[in-house]
């Protein structure tokens, strides 16, 4: 009697960056922050649209990077004060927003794993500081809004206002609505 082993079919193939870390290439319109704990880095420079391909790094790959380079990692920004000068909850026209005042590491856009590391901490420090507030909700949408502000207006719009009442977490839909879908 023959035995068959069923292997899962991975519909999206992973690729490896120049440092050997795995990522999944995805178009901007295929990225949804409600689907897990990951970080996206554009694979090309210049203008971006819904077909722009991003390297999607799973959090486990970023952690592997941090563990493999403890000396380098120790010098990289990981504290709120390194990414933002301040933050505060505000209400404008009856809408609650978390206003963030970014510093350079919050909007830097290095390629590959270095970019994924900066994304992880620009988000993590905000989440750690504010997620216990009664005003915090719709985490995936807030994460998409934050990354949109860092990727597009960058330093040219301050503060970055991320709004917990918004529910859209598809990255491209957030970008298409100027970070506030």
């Amino acid at each position: 009697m023959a035995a068959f082993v069923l292997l899962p079919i991975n519909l999206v193939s992973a690729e490896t960056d120049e440092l050997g870390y795995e990522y999944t290439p995805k178009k901007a319109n295929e990225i949804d922050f409600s689907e897990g704990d990951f970080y996206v880095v554009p694979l090309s420079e210049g203008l971006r649209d819904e077909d722009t391909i991003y390297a999607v790094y799973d959090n486990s790959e970023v952690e592997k990077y941090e563990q493999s380079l403890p000396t380098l990692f120790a010098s990289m920004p990981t504290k709120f004060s390194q990414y933002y000068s301040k933050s505060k909850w505000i209400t404008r026209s009856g809408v609650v927003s978390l206003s963030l005042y970014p510093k350079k590491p919050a909007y830097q856009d290095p390629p590959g794993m270095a970019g994924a590391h900066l994304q992880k901490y620009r988000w993590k420090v905000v989440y750690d500081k504010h997620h216990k507030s009664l005003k915090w909700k719709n985490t995936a949408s807030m994460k998409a809004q934050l990354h949109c502000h860092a990727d597009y207006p960058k330093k040219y719009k301050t503060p970055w206002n991320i709004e917990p009442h918004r529910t859209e977490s598809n990255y491209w839909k957030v970008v298409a609505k100027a970070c506030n879908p």
Side-chain angles (χ1 to χ4, degrees), residues 56-118:
V56 178
Y57 288 94
D58 185 74
N59 189 51
S60 63
E61 286 295 293
V62 179
E63 288 176 354
K64 198 182 329 178
Y65 168 73
E66 294 166 354
Q67 292 168 2
S68 70
L69 302 168
T71 305
L72 174 63
F73 176 67
S75 68
M76 296 180 92
T78 58
K79 295 182 173 100
F80 186 90
S81 63
Q82 294 171 303
Y83 286 90
Y84 306 97
S85 59
K86 67 180 179 175
S87 64
K88 62 184 175 180
W89 290 102
I90 64 167
T91 302
R92 300 178 298 168
S93 304
V95 176
V96 172
S97 296
L98 177 57
S99 282
L100 300 165
Y101 293 79
K103 292 181 175 180
K104 190 174 182 178
Y107 54 80
Q108 280 181 307
D109 200 12
M113 186 52 78
H117 168 82
L118 286 174

Side-chain angles (χ1 to χ4, degrees), residues 1 4 25 31 62 72 119 121 125 130 136 140 148 173 180:
M1 182 173 187
F4 292 97
I31 298 168
V62 179
L72 174 63
Q119 276 195 25
Y121 283 92
V125 298
H130 293 287
W136 186 279
C148 178
K173 289 179 181 178
N180 296 120

